[in-house]
mmCIF file of all heavy atoms in Angstrom:
data_model
loop_
_atom_site.group_PDB
_atom_site.id
_atom_site.type_symbol
_atom_site.label_atom_id
_atom_site.label_comp_id
_atom_site.label_asym_id
_atom_site.label_seq_id
_atom_site.Cartn_x
_atom_site.Cartn_y
_atom_site.Cartn_z
ATOM 1 N N PRO B 47 -13.128 10.847 6.799
ATOM 2 C CA PRO B 47 -12.781 10.474 5.422
ATOM 3 C C PRO B 47 -13.741 9.454 4.816
ATOM 4 O O PRO B 47 -13.976 9.475 3.614
ATOM 5 C CB PRO B 47 -11.390 9.881 5.552
ATOM 6 C CG PRO B 47 -10.858 10.345 6.847
ATOM 7 C CD PRO B 47 -12.034 10.573 7.729
ATOM 8 N N ALA B 76 12.290 -3.091 -9.605
ATOM 9 C CA ALA B 76 10.916 -2.792 -9.225
ATOM 10 C C ALA B 76 10.804 -1.484 -8.442
ATOM 11 O O ALA B 76 9.808 -0.769 -8.547
ATOM 12 C CB ALA B 76 10.349 -3.943 -8.397
ATOM 13 N N PRO B 98 -0.803 -8.084 -2.667
ATOM 14 C CA PRO B 98 -0.090 -9.323 -2.958
ATOM 15 C C PRO B 98 -1.074 -10.286 -3.602
ATOM 16 O O PRO B 98 -2.281 -10.137 -3.456
ATOM 17 C CB PRO B 98 0.341 -9.815 -1.579
ATOM 18 C CG PRO B 98 0.243 -8.637 -0.687
ATOM 19 C CD PRO B 98 -0.862 -7.800 -1.240
ATOM 20 N N GLY B 100 -3.619 -12.865 -4.602
ATOM 21 C CA GLY B 100 -4.768 -13.316 -3.820
ATOM 22 C C GLY B 100 -5.875 -12.312 -3.996
ATOM 23 O O GLY B 100 -5.636 -11.179 -4.403
ATOM 24 N N ILE B 115 3.319 -6.406 -13.856
ATOM 25 C CA ILE B 115 3.447 -7.829 -14.057
ATOM 26 C C ILE B 115 4.824 -8.342 -13.711
ATOM 27 O O ILE B 115 5.717 -8.404 -14.531
ATOM 28 C CB ILE B 115 3.086 -8.195 -15.489
ATOM 29 C CG1 ILE B 115 1.686 -7.708 -15.765
ATOM 30 C CG2 ILE B 115 3.165 -9.701 -15.676
ATOM 31 C CD1 ILE B 115 0.652 -8.184 -14.778
ATOM 32 N N PRO B 123 -7.353 -10.162 -14.677
ATOM 33 C CA PRO B 123 -7.857 -9.056 -13.865
ATOM 34 C C PRO B 123 -8.946 -9.623 -12.962
ATOM 35 O O PRO B 123 -9.624 -10.568 -13.340
ATOM 36 C CB PRO B 123 -8.449 -8.104 -14.886
ATOM 37 C CG PRO B 123 -8.696 -8.926 -16.090
ATOM 38 C CD PRO B 123 -7.773 -10.079 -16.065
ATOM 39 N N VAL B 136 -2.104 -1.691 -16.936
ATOM 40 C CA VAL B 136 -1.249 -2.869 -16.954
ATOM 41 C C VAL B 136 0.155 -2.494 -17.419
ATOM 42 O O VAL B 136 0.320 -1.874 -18.473
ATOM 43 C CB VAL B 136 -1.835 -3.941 -17.894
ATOM 44 C CG1 VAL B 136 -0.897 -5.119 -18.006
ATOM 45 C CG2 VAL B 136 -3.190 -4.386 -17.371
ATOM 46 N N TRP B 142 -5.508 -7.138 -21.908
ATOM 47 C CA TRP B 142 -6.795 -7.342 -21.261
ATOM 48 C C TRP B 142 -7.702 -6.234 -21.763
ATOM 49 O O TRP B 142 -7.321 -5.061 -21.741
ATOM 50 C CB TRP B 142 -6.685 -7.224 -19.748
ATOM 51 C CG TRP B 142 -5.961 -8.335 -19.091
ATOM 52 C CD1 TRP B 142 -5.785 -9.597 -19.579
ATOM 53 C CD2 TRP B 142 -5.304 -8.303 -17.817
ATOM 54 N NE1 TRP B 142 -5.074 -10.352 -18.686
ATOM 55 C CE2 TRP B 142 -4.767 -9.590 -17.595
ATOM 56 C CE3 TRP B 142 -5.136 -7.330 -16.837
ATOM 57 C CZ2 TRP B 142 -4.066 -9.915 -16.449
ATOM 58 C CZ3 TRP B 142 -4.446 -7.656 -15.695
ATOM 59 C CH2 TRP B 142 -3.909 -8.940 -15.493
ATOM 60 N N VAL B 150 7.658 -1.146 -22.223
ATOM 61 C CA VAL B 150 8.917 -0.667 -22.795
ATOM 62 C C VAL B 150 9.252 -1.548 -23.991
ATOM 63 O O VAL B 150 8.700 -2.631 -24.154
ATOM 64 C CB VAL B 150 10.074 -0.705 -21.773
ATOM 65 C CG1 VAL B 150 9.764 0.169 -20.578
ATOM 66 C CG2 VAL B 150 10.374 -2.121 -21.350
ATOM 67 N N GLU B 151 10.187 -1.087 -24.785
ATOM 68 C CA GLU B 151 10.516 -1.803 -26.012
ATOM 69 C C GLU B 151 11.377 -3.030 -25.740
ATOM 70 O O GLU B 151 12.560 -3.069 -26.077
ATOM 71 C CB GLU B 151 11.277 -0.869 -26.956
ATOM 72 C CG GLU B 151 10.442 0.290 -27.462
ATOM 73 C CD GLU B 151 11.274 1.191 -28.363
ATOM 74 O OE1 GLU B 151 12.470 1.408 -28.034
ATOM 75 O OE2 GLU B 151 10.747 1.670 -29.370
ATOM 76 N N ALA B 157 16.882 -7.176 -29.230
ATOM 77 C CA ALA B 157 17.498 -7.281 -30.556
ATOM 78 C C ALA B 157 18.802 -6.479 -30.608
ATOM 79 O O ALA B 157 19.785 -6.909 -31.212
ATOM 80 C CB ALA B 157 16.514 -6.781 -31.623
ATOM 81 N N PRO B 249 34.994 -10.837 -19.787
ATOM 82 C CA PRO B 249 34.307 -11.368 -20.964
ATOM 83 C C PRO B 249 35.202 -12.211 -21.875
ATOM 84 O O PRO B 249 34.750 -12.574 -22.963
ATOM 85 C CB PRO B 249 33.906 -10.102 -21.700
ATOM 86 C CG PRO B 249 35.048 -9.168 -21.444
ATOM 87 C CD PRO B 249 35.566 -9.504 -20.067
ATOM 88 N N GLY B 259 19.218 -2.378 -16.464
ATOM 89 C CA GLY B 259 20.084 -1.231 -16.228
ATOM 90 C C GLY B 259 20.041 -0.736 -14.799
ATOM 91 O O GLY B 259 20.028 0.462 -14.543
ATOM 92 N N TRP B 264 28.156 -4.314 -6.214
ATOM 93 C CA TRP B 264 28.939 -5.398 -5.616
ATOM 94 C C TRP B 264 29.579 -6.277 -6.676
ATOM 95 O O TRP B 264 30.292 -7.213 -6.376
ATOM 96 C CB TRP B 264 28.047 -6.252 -4.711
ATOM 97 C CG TRP B 264 26.645 -6.324 -5.198
ATOM 98 C CD1 TRP B 264 25.626 -5.475 -4.876
ATOM 99 C CD2 TRP B 264 26.116 -7.242 -6.143
ATOM 100 N NE1 TRP B 264 24.491 -5.829 -5.556
ATOM 101 C CE2 TRP B 264 24.763 -6.911 -6.333
ATOM 102 C CE3 TRP B 264 26.636 -8.327 -6.849
ATOM 103 C CZ2 TRP B 264 23.935 -7.620 -7.200
ATOM 104 C CZ3 TRP B 264 25.816 -9.020 -7.703
ATOM 105 C CH2 TRP B 264 24.477 -8.662 -7.872
ATOM 106 N N ARG B 281 6.207 7.007 -13.787
ATOM 107 C CA ARG B 281 5.451 8.248 -13.940
ATOM 108 C C ARG B 281 4.362 8.090 -14.991
ATOM 109 O O ARG B 281 3.233 8.547 -14.810
ATOM 110 C CB ARG B 281 6.396 9.393 -14.318
ATOM 111 C CG ARG B 281 6.880 10.157 -13.093
ATOM 112 C CD ARG B 281 7.917 11.188 -13.470
ATOM 113 N NE ARG B 281 9.244 10.634 -13.263
ATOM 114 C CZ ARG B 281 10.271 10.744 -14.097
ATOM 115 N NH1 ARG B 281 10.137 11.387 -15.227
ATOM 116 N NH2 ARG B 281 11.426 10.206 -13.799
#
Side-chain angles (χ1 to χ4, degrees):
Chain B
I115 303 306
V136 175
W142 290 337
V150 300
E151 294 179 321
W264 32 270
R281 267 174 264 136

